[in-house]
Amino acid sequence: FAVRLTENGSIDPSFASGVAVNSLDAAAFHVARVTVDAANGNVVVVGNKSGGGGPIAGSEPVPSSAGIALFRFGPSGLVDTSFGGKGAVFHGDGAALDAYTANGVTIVGGYTGNNVPSMKPAVFRWSASGAPDSGFGSGGRLVLAGIEGAGLGRIRRLTVDGMGRIVAIGGYHSTQGSAVTFITRLDNAGRLDPSYGANGSSSFNVQTPEPEIDPQGNALFRAP
């Protein structure tokens, strides 16, 4: 479900009478991100179908998943049935940790795999209809092979900068067992930007808590 608050913090009764709900699926979900499309006011709730307890990256729990779920509501909070037919779409291979929506397109960062050795950072993109975007990566999904290290590879934060490029912060454990943070930049077709860092990515040997990216695509983080 999604709840919208007014400027004074009260529940907005004009948004689906206070709470927007999609009851399509009886499975359990945990929400990764709620996004608002500035172009049309649609609300996209991005979550993961519950797959049990996830792995631990240091002190950071990493959600496990039985697939990514996207639910879209219109500006008034009504279920948007034009999205996937019933207001929801599912992807069976992956987990979402962050998301961004603009002009009907939703981009999700997270990982594939369901255990520490198999986790690989991945970016997914859905078109405005709810179909995987065939013009992005391979059938709407880009797995960042070569950046996954020895395990725990995942995208933790992402945004789209003013030039339409995807900027993402992720992490993995190296083959020596140390934590590595990486920043990568992709073009609109899901290809690594060779003008950024070393073949599209920069990395350093530290685990950064709570990384963020500003609207201009600048990566911000603090080291412990």
Side-chain angles (χ1 to χ4, degrees), residues 12 23 76 96 98-99 123 143 148 164 172 175 215:
D12 184 353
S23 55
S76 64
D98 199 15
V123 180
V143 178
E148 72 272 12
Y172 62 86
T175 53

Side-chain angles (χ1 to χ4, degrees), residues 204-222:
F204 39 94
N205 293 325
V206 66
Q207 178 70 55
T208 61
E210 301 175 2
E212 294 294 344
I213 306 172
D214 71 13
Q216 289 73 44
N218 299 308
L220 309 169
F221 57 90
R222 60 184 175 87

Side-chain angles (χ1 to χ4, degrees), residues 52-195:
I56 301 295
S59 60
E60 177 192 3
V62 180
S64 182
S65 175
I68 299 172
L70 277 65
F71 301 90
R72 192 165 76 191
F73 303 94
S76 64
L78 299 180
V79 172
D80 185 352
T81 56
S82 69
F83 186 68
K86 297 181 179 180
V89 296
F90 301 92
H91 191 292
D93 178 23
L97 298 180
D98 199 15
Y100 177 93
T101 299
N103 299 311
V105 174
T106 297
I107 302 169
V108 171
Y111 63 89
T112 62
N114 54 16
N115 55 55
V116 171
S118 68
M119 285 172 62
K120 297 183 185 346
V123 180
F124 308 81
R125 191 167 73 188
W126 282 266
S127 66
S129 68
D133 189 340
S134 60
F136 182 81
S138 177
R141 184 185 77 168
L142 176 69
V143 178
L144 297 175
I147 307 181
E148 72 272 12
L152 279 172
R154 68 248 190 246
I155 300 292
R156 301 168 67 199
R157 290 284 186 272
L158 60 73
T159 194
V160 175
D161 69 10
M163 298 179 67
R165 301 171 300 195
I166 299 171
V167 180
I169 299 178
Y172 62 86
H173 279 193
S174 70
T175 53
Q176 290 76 34
S178 61
V180 177
T181 292
F182 67 86
I183 307 167
T184 192
R185 192 164 72 192
L186 309 173
D187 67 14
N188 196 45
R191 298 172 298 215
L192 288 168
D193 181 353
S195 69

